[in-house]
Amino acid sequence: MQKMIDGISVKTSGKVGKQAIVFIHGFPFDHTLWDDVVSEFKDEYYCVSYDIRGLGKSEIGDAQFTMESYTQDLENIVFELKLDNPILCGFSMGGYVALRANERESYKALILANTATNSDNDKAKLKRAAGIAKIDAKGVESFIDDFFLAAFSEGFIKKSPQKIEEIKENIMSFNPTGIKAALLAMISRTDTTQSLEKTDIPVLLITSENDKIIPKETMKQMALKIKNSTFISLSKSGHMSMIENLDEFKSAMGKFLKTI
Ligand code: MLT
């Protein structure tokens, strides 16, 4: 079922009343990133996925977003759907939202995929500024072509050009202003590293052997700081873990969910 909650396009799958999992997608995607994962878990869990404000079918409003406003949007969804102690599952930028949400409220468990706790250093900020300039000068397609070279492994780019084209087509339908706003929202995020040692809920950390955007070692260090952590590195995958190695992703998630 799809509905709008305060301008956010939210999709719910499964039965109300079952343990909820809220899926938060990465940049510059939308909830469809999670469709195959949601299909796997919707019989046993109440799965909620949504388009981050300004992306996909969510409203763009004045496009003034921060990581804080993204987190507030997540909390509004949890409140409006009356979710009781949900599990948060965030990928990359969605992980930044989940990590900040974990500082503000308490959740049943976290699933963090290909994400990090550090905020942007100057180099990263300048890279995002260059991304905005690129979208302005050459358009979203050119920006995505570059981004995908870092996001997907070489093997996947060679093996699955159609899948990549499909994802790109979808992003091309978004408002470019929402994509630029997401870059600024990521620049605005705080460092959540300190919260890891205070986190005592179960946390699954999924990384990939060939992640060029957030290296495996970054997530390994995060896992070491969390009391109740499970660390998994997916083989044959770049940054886009749930697309490139869906089977291992689902298997890691399924095993973790059985333990909580
Ligand atoms: C993402 O996949 O969400 C982004 O690559 C994260 C980032 O750029 O920091």
Side-chain angles (χ1 to χ4, degrees), residues 25-29 33 91-96 113-116 118 120 124 127-128 143 147 150-151 182-183 186-187 189 211 213-214 239-240:
H25 64 79
F27 168 89
F29 307 97
L33 200 66
F91 164 72
S92 203
M93 178 176 77
Y96 306 156
N114 306 82
T115 194
N118 60 280
D120 281 359
K127 194 162 171 218
R128 297 205 197 277
F143 172 79
F147 177 73
L183 287 164
M186 284 193 282
I187 289 179
R189 77 187 190 278
D211 191 332
I213 294 184
I214 298 173
H239 185 62
M240 304 301 299

